[in-house]
Amino acid sequence: MNKLDTALVSSALREAGFVLTDSVKDADVVVINTCSVREHAEARVLSHLGHLKHLKKHRPGMVVAVIGCMAQRLGDALLEHDAVNVVCGPGQIRQLVRLLEDALSQNVKRLVVAEAIRDRMDSSSDALEQFESSYGHQSDADGGPPGQAFVRVMRGCDNFCTYCIVPYVRGPEQCRPPERVLNQVRKLADKGVRQVTLLGQTVNAYRHRDGHRTYSLADLLGMVAEVEGIEWIRFVTSYPSEEFYDDILHAMASSPKVCHYLHMPAQSGSDRVLRAMNRHYTAEQYLELLARARRIVPDLAIAGDFIVGFPGETEDDFRATVDLVRQARYRNCFVFKYSPRPGTTADKRHQDSVPDEVKQRRNVELLAVQEAISEQLSSEFLGRTVTVLVEGLSKKARVNPLDSQSHPQLVGRTATDSIVVFNGSPSLAGRFVDVRITATSPLTLFGDLVVG
Ligand code: SAH
Ligand code: SF4
């Protein structure tokens, strides 16, 4: 979601005549897009701002803007930071260019955030929609892997999981009309995009009423699949609700374009903790959902999120989470230590009672359990040939200057979101290739390009 916002903002800035610099030291304007989901993310922003404050001693004219959820959450308090000139909430990003121009020419400080986010987001959403429609189709051009783009289908969230800040900083759930989404996808396809990822906090609950017809995510997937040029379609994140929605899984099973990949966070395996989190399912119902999904899409790769150390989480609660991970057989999972977020129900109701070293131990243990499963699932790929959408040079890619014939290491992903590393020409970025897998690690497959 934040990558998409960054792309939208940089498209708008580019259109207004700004150019991207290689180094922050050369910049007249620095825009920091922020996340509020965990305190750690906010702490990193504050440390960046500390660094910028130093830089500004030598570059007094430099303008620093903070945008995104932290801007919305902290507002005034952020503007008081010496380094900061502009604070702009996620619902107001269409105003960013003007705010920056004002700050550059008049050396003023400016704050624009939604006042009461739950009310004001509604009135600003038309303008937000316009902004997104104007720049959304350029989002591939802004530093992400070529040939791929994110497309938002829902804004905000109405779920109010007790630990989560998202509904407070992103406002109420709103589904974008299918026509808007489709227009954007068509433009992206015309520009060479081959994979789109549809974004929403509870994307499987997508619903849009148009006269007497209601469009679901399954309908949207069908419509996007008809766009010429689009080869792979993903969607994140799915909420494990009872009505998870067999029609989405059938769309996956029947359309060769819909990737067999589901990101469906469980958060905990303890029913007691799930209740305290205001997640509307039990561990058993969750596992039954996974089983049903795999009956419809047998080779489905599933990823999950977990929070360890939620207030009051006992050793037994944690054991239940470990059990769930063992049974779920995720391809990959993300584990987070509970981070109290000011204003959320969990923070108001409970002490952050689990000590950090306990959170840390549970975090490490859960990841270790998952790693063994990932390793086993990876090893099943040995000797197989997989289709990969190439992202570009791998992090470790080094071109041998003495051997102009040798190809550097590339990285890409399969439709089931496995990372694949192989040697090939960088010109393959954004294209589909076949790779024969010769070695595996828990999260990465290694192989050779199949030529011809
Ligand atoms: N809408 C998505 C998740 C959005 S936030 C969903 O409902 O699944 C991404 C992940 O951050 C969550 O899945 C959760 O695991 C984690 N997270 C959210 N709030 C958190 C908090 N206060 N502390 C630690 N992790 C948190
Ligand atoms: Fe946060 Fe829950 Fe909404 Fe996900 S569904 S964004 S965790 S409130």
Side-chain angles (χ1 to χ4, degrees), residues 156-167 201-202 239 267 279:
C157 184
D158 284 340
N159 261 42
F160 289 96
C161 302
T162 56
Y163 51 80
C164 184
I165 193 83
V166 170
Q201 296 294 355
T202 56
Y239 185 92
Q267 312 298 0
R279 302 283 290 186

Side-chain angles (χ1 to χ4, degrees), residues 37-38 157 161 163-166 200-202 237-240 263-265 267 279 305-307 334 336-341:
V37 165
R38 284 168 293 275
C157 184
C161 302
Y163 51 80
C164 184
I165 193 83
V166 170
Q201 296 294 355
T202 56
T237 299
S238 293
Y239 185 92
H263 184 194
M264 192 156 79
Q267 312 298 0
R279 302 283 290 186
D305 293 359
F306 287 88
I307 296 175
F334 304 91
F336 307 105
K337 294 188 275 183
Y338 172 72
S339 169
R341 307 314 294 134

Side-chain angles (χ1 to χ4, degrees), residues 408-426:
Q409 214 176 47
L410 303 180
V411 64
R413 281 170 197 261
T414 66
T416 51
D417 211 42
S418 286
I419 299 166
V420 182
V421 168
F422 59 98
N423 285 41
S425 158

Side-chain angles (χ1 to χ4, degrees), residues 5 67-69 71-72 88-93 117 121 128 169-170:
D5 286 341
I67 65 172
C69 294
Q72 177 59 45
C88 176
Q92 284 70 32
I93 43 175
I117 191 104
M121 274 283 184
L128 207 54
V169 286
R170 288 279 176 167

Side-chain angles (χ1 to χ4, degrees), residues 66-78:
V66 181
I67 65 172
C69 294
M70 194 176 167
Q72 177 59 45
R73 196 177 82 72
L74 295 176
D76 278 335
L78 262 181

